[in-house]
Amino acid sequence: MHSITDVCNEAGLSLDDIRCLLMDVRADWATTETVSDSEHSLILQSVQNINAALPEGRQIVPAPLEQMPLDQQQRLVDNASQVFGFPLAIAALQEIKMVEALQIAKNQAIQGIVEQKRTELNQYLHLQSQADQTAFITALHSIAGVCPKKKADGTSQAMTDEATATNLQLAEILELMGK
């Protein structure tokens, strides 16, 4: 039998890493303090296989979760659920859904604010247009007030009066003639 702490030191792994390696072979993997000789050999062989597969001086460094797209986080959660158990997967999936909901709400709030600002801008432009039109009409009235007024020509009025008088006389004559 080997102490799990000694195995950690010998393999260069954390206690959690060692316990994860024991998950598939022992029911008490989360609480055990010792490992058998065969488990000890299996752990050391796993570490050697991993180190042999990596290029010299290289380590696998995961990307920070904040930089991972949500679909990649979803796959990571699915894989972790197979290792750590179903309740963790449910909690992580719920957190991902909450982050998605937050993103949707944030986008809707931004769109609402943009729409509101557009409406305010349109209202301002409408008021400015009305003020410009009023100023234009006022300017035209001012210019019209300076222009000389046309004097009435008595000739056209005299002709109209004469035509009216003539038409009356013609109507009287035609009436006398019975037509």
Side-chain angles (χ1 to χ4, degrees):
M1 290 301 244
H2 298 272
S3 162
I4 200 164
T5 308
D6 292 339
V7 176
C8 289
N9 293 334
E10 190 176 345
L13 297 174
S14 70
L15 181 62
D16 289 335
D17 293 335
I18 298 295
R19 290 189 189 281
C20 284
L21 289 172
L22 295 172
M23 190 180 321
D24 291 331
V25 293
R26 290 189 61 162
D28 66 340
W29 62 271
T31 58
T32 187
E33 293 298 323
T34 59
V35 294
S36 68
D37 288 337
S38 62
E39 293 166 340
H40 175 259
S41 296
L42 181 66
I43 291 169
L44 292 180
Q45 184 179 4
S46 296
V47 170
Q48 288 172 354
N49 289 342
I50 291 171
N51 288 338
L54 294 174
E56 192 171 321
R58 295 285 189 159
Q59 291 183 347
I60 298 173
V61 179
L65 285 178
E66 303 85 36
Q67 295 175 1
M68 265 189 217
L70 286 176
D71 63 328
Q72 190 174 0
Q73 289 181 28
Q74 177 76 38
R75 284 193 307 268
L76 183 64
V77 168
D78 290 341
N79 292 340
S81 69
Q82 295 174 6
V83 175
F84 295 116
F86 194 65
L88 175 65
I90 292 173
L93 289 172
Q94 185 61 33
E95 187 173 341
I96 289 172
K97 286 181 182 180
M98 289 180 350
V99 168
E100 281 182 301
L102 180 63
Q103 289 292 335
I104 290 169
K106 181 182 79 169
N107 289 343
Q108 287 177 343
I110 290 170
Q111 288 174 339
I113 290 169
V114 167
E115 260 321 296
Q116 179 183 0
K117 292 301 176 186
R118 274 192 189 137
T119 300
E120 290 173 6
L121 176 62
N122 288 341
Q123 290 172 349
Y124 173 79
L125 291 173
H126 180 248
L127 290 173
Q128 188 63 44
S129 173
Q130 286 177 330
D132 290 347
Q133 290 175 24
T134 302
F136 181 73
I137 297 296
T138 303
L140 285 176
H141 281 296
S142 296
I143 292 170
V146 174
C147 291
K149 297 202 189 256
K150 232 183 185 182
K151 294 183 181 178
D153 185 3
T155 307
S156 51
Q157 186 63 39
M159 287 176 69
T160 302
D161 292 342
E162 288 172 7
T164 303
T166 303
N167 288 338
L168 283 174
Q169 287 175 0
L170 285 173
E172 287 174 9
I173 293 173
L174 287 173
E175 196 176 304
L176 289 175
M177 290 176 52
K179 289 194 178 188

